[in-house]
Amino acid sequence: MLIIPAIDLKDGHCVRLKQGIMEDATVFSENPETVALHLHDHGARQLHLVDLNGAFAGKPKNGEAIRAIVEAIDGRLPIQLGGGIRDLETVEYYLDNGISYVIIGTAAVKIPGFLHDACYAFPGKIMVGLDAKGGKVAVDGWSKVTGHDVIDLAKKFQDYGVEAIIHTDIGRDGMLSGLNIEATVELAQALTIPVIASGGVTNLDDIRKLCAVQSEGITGVITGRAIYQGSLDFKEAQALADQLDSEA
């Protein structure tokens, strides 16, 4: 089980939102590359970056901060990135410039042909972010809830050849209210590709609960606010996950 720390970028700063609301942002650092190095030094094995401005604008907006993080990490661990990625040129640019996995969210739902082409052109490099509210998929920086069922769409995207599905419960994201384990397990059971959980991680109890069901196909969990506010010690969380892995 990978504990994947998130660096959410807004106006070049490392922030966290509550339930995806841009106006409800807490700035944790004005130097995201310093945060990335700190997480690397504390044992992170993968980083999750989100261009929040890009997610709302529909095109990359935090290029300078992303470049600074990539240069600071210098290939020492994989970086996955989402937010505002709507065309193959952007996918190719990121993959050519130090990003390991590109996460497609809104465009996967609105332009499925683009996702299909991206999976074909860049096999093993494309993840899909499915952000859910009441089992339905939300798009455009979580501002609009569609009528699409999460599991139905995930199965379709699995057939396209995506590497993994990142499942976020919008209602819990940034709220420190605990993961939606039940919905995550239900999704993982319906798929053969890995599922990465996200939204609501609070403390080590959440890590224990998730590790207990990882055999269903849940390979990682993304956490942000909990590690920045101190309710979850990142190093301790990964050590616990490793211990539970070895005991399983």
Side-chain angles (χ1 to χ4, degrees):
M1 178 71 65
L2 276 183
I3 315 298
I4 307 171
I7 298 178
D8 288 359
L9 299 167
K10 181 187 178 190
D11 305 330
H13 301 152
C14 172
V15 307
R16 287 305 285 172
L17 307 184
K18 290 184 178 178
Q19 298 180 321
I21 300 168
M22 282 290 269
E23 294 73 26
D24 197 354
T26 303
V27 176
F28 286 105
S29 174
E30 295 183 359
N31 298 292
E33 67 275 19
T34 303
V35 175
L37 281 173
H38 174 79
L39 291 166
H40 168 268
D41 292 345
H42 280 72
R45 297 171 196 165
Q46 197 151 312
L47 286 181
H48 177 81
L49 306 188
V50 181
D51 180 348
L52 290 172
N53 301 100
F56 281 86
K59 57 185 177 181
K61 287 288 185 179
N62 279 284
E64 190 176 329
I66 292 165
R67 279 191 296 275
I69 290 169
V70 169
E71 288 173 7
I73 292 300
D74 195 24
R76 286 176 287 179
L77 76 171
I79 300 174
Q80 59 195 50
L81 168 69
I85 299 167
R86 304 283 194 274
D87 56 64
L88 291 176
E89 290 75 16
T90 304
V91 175
E92 185 172 27
Y93 172 79
Y94 280 138
L95 292 175
D96 284 347
N97 287 276
I99 298 299
S100 305
Y101 302 100
V102 166
I103 303 162
I104 299 174
T106 292
V109 181
K110 289 186 164 183
I111 323 166
F114 159 57
L115 175 65
H116 189 277
D117 291 346
C119 290
Y120 181 79
F122 309 103
K125 295 293 185 179
I126 307 298
M127 297 180 176
V128 166
L130 287 181
D131 306 322
K133 192 168 188 178
K136 301 298 181 183
V137 175
V139 295
D140 295 330
W142 301 356
S143 61
K144 300 172 188 169
V145 179
T146 71
H148 294 293
D149 181 80
V150 171
I151 291 177
D152 290 344
L153 266 188
K155 286 180 176 178
K156 178 180 176 182
F157 297 157
Q158 174 177 264
D159 291 341
Y160 287 0
V162 302
E163 181 69 10
I165 299 288
I166 298 172
H167 174 256
T168 304
D169 185 317
I170 296 173
R172 300 186 185 222
D173 190 74
M175 301 304 290
L176 302 179
S177 58
L179 283 159
N180 189 337
I181 299 278
E182 186 178 346
T184 307
V185 168
E186 188 179 0
L187 176 62
Q189 288 174 335
L191 303 174
T192 57
I193 58 174
V195 170
I196 297 171
S198 176
V201 173
T202 308
N203 52 41
L204 288 176
D205 283 342
D206 290 316
I207 304 303
R208 288 190 187 91
K209 289 173 185 174
L210 201 61
C211 286
V213 295
Q214 66 178 320
S215 60
E216 302 292 350
I218 303 165
T219 61
V221 58
I222 294 165
T223 177
R225 183 174 290 272
I227 56 175
Y228 295 121
Q229 290 193 340
S231 67
L232 183 73
D233 181 294
F234 175 78
K235 199 169 185 177
E236 194 178 357
Q238 187 61 70
L240 174 64
D242 291 345
Q243 179 191 335
L244 294 173
D245 277 352
S246 67
E247 293 172 358

